């Protein structure tokens, strides 16, 4: 049995669609797109016509905003 695929998928950073990413940030989809436009959230990875965000990048937005809040 080849475990290479299982090992690789266990270590990958899942890609979230816009709805899933908005849920992580607890905002609406339109607000999520506004945050992309104002560069609070990074631009998506494009897979053909699909927009996806690595979960780690969405979580990093929260960490960055928390750090900015405590630094101010």
């Amino acid at each position: 049995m080849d475990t290479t695929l299982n090992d690789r998928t266990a270590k990958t950073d899942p890609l979230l669609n816009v709805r899933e990413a908005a849920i992580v940030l607890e905002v609406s989809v339109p607000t999520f797109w506004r945050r992309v436009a104002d560069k609070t959230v990074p631009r998506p990875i494009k897979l053909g016509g699909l927009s996806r965000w690595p979960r780690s990048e969405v979580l990093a937005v929260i960490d960055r905003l928390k750090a900015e809040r405590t630094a101010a």
Side-chain angles (χ1 to χ4, degrees), residues 1-4 6:
M1 180 172 156
D2 183 15
T3 60
T4 307
N6 289 336

Side-chain angles (χ1 to χ4, degrees), residues 3 7 16 22 24 28 39 41 43 47 49 53 57 59 65 72:
T3 60
D7 290 344
L16 306 177
V24 170
S28 68
K39 298 185 172 135
V41 173
R43 292 175 48 207
L47 299 170
W53 290 262
E57 288 184 10
L59 295 173
L65 294 173

Side-chain angles (χ1 to χ4, degrees), residues 10-49:
K11 296 176 185 175
T12 61
D13 190 8
L15 295 176
L16 306 177
N17 65 34
V18 67
R19 186 174 82 30
E20 294 165 335
I23 288 170
V24 170
L25 294 181
E26 297 184 17
V27 298
S28 68
V29 170
T31 296
F32 184 85
W33 281 116
R34 281 193 293 275
R35 299 297 73 89
V36 171
D38 71 14
K39 298 185 172 135
T40 302
V41 173
R43 292 175 48 207
I45 294 170
K46 298 298 277 189
L47 299 170

